[in-house]
């Protein structure tokens, strides 16, 4: 079984530091205000290298979702869900929905960040349904 340890770049470390503090930050472009995800050296919209790490609102909505019934990683025993969430700030992130699952379609459901861990105890920014 594969190990799912992430490969981190120098651009990822400040983000994971903020996640460990339960205060998820992403880079926001100093020139055009675009939020940057994944973390990187320049703005995907205007290519500016200038950015500031800022806290996210922690809110978004589900853009897509799937439930995996097959095991790919030791620390992700099936079944487990994966959601694509459009953050209020704009970026699309991949996460998991924890807690109650929506009835019917999950798409468009408002969610908020809920810090949780995978089966190996790794802290992750997960999502839960918001009011
Ligand atoms: Zn920009």
């Amino acid at each position: 079984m594969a190990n799912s340890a992430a490969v981190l770049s120098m651009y990822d470390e400040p983000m994971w530091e903020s996640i460990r503090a339960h205060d998820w930050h992403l880079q926001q472009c100093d020139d055009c205000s675009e939020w940057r995800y994944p973390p990187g050296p320049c703005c995907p919209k205007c290519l500016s290298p200038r950015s500031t790490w800022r806290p996210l609102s922690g809110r978004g909505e589900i853009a897509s979702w799937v439930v995996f019934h097959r095991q790919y990683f030791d620390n992700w025993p099936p079944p487990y869900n994966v959601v694509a969430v459009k953050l209020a700030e704009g970026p699309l992130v991949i996460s998991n929905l924890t807690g109650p699952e929506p009835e019917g379609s999950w798409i468009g459901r408002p969610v908020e960040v809920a810090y949780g861990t995978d089966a190996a105890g790794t802290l992750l920014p997960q999502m839960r349904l918001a009011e």
Side-chain angles (χ1 to χ4, degrees), residues 28-36 42-48 50:
Q28 187 176 25
C29 181
D30 290 343
D31 291 302
C32 78
S33 299
E34 181 87 352
W35 289 82
R36 198 176 300 176
C42 69
C43 176
K45 188 174 174 190
C46 76
L47 303 181
S48 169
R50 302 184 326 121

Side-chain angles (χ1 to χ4, degrees), residues 68-131:
F68 285 90
H69 295 278
R70 183 174 159 185
Q71 185 153 10
Y72 294 97
F73 301 107
D74 290 338
N75 48 348
W76 289 100
Y80 63 94
N81 70 63
V82 174
V83 290
V85 170
K86 177 101 169 142
L87 297 176
E89 289 78 8
L92 189 69
V93 300
I94 305 300
S95 183
N96 311 102
L97 188 72
T98 64
E101 297 182 348
E103 303 276 334
S105 177
W106 295 21
I107 295 174
R109 299 298 178 115
V111 291
E112 59 191 11
V113 175
Y115 298 93
T117 56
D118 66 12
T122 303
L123 181 68
L124 298 168
Q126 296 180 317
M127 300 288 169
R128 66 176 168 229
L129 291 176
E131 294 307 313

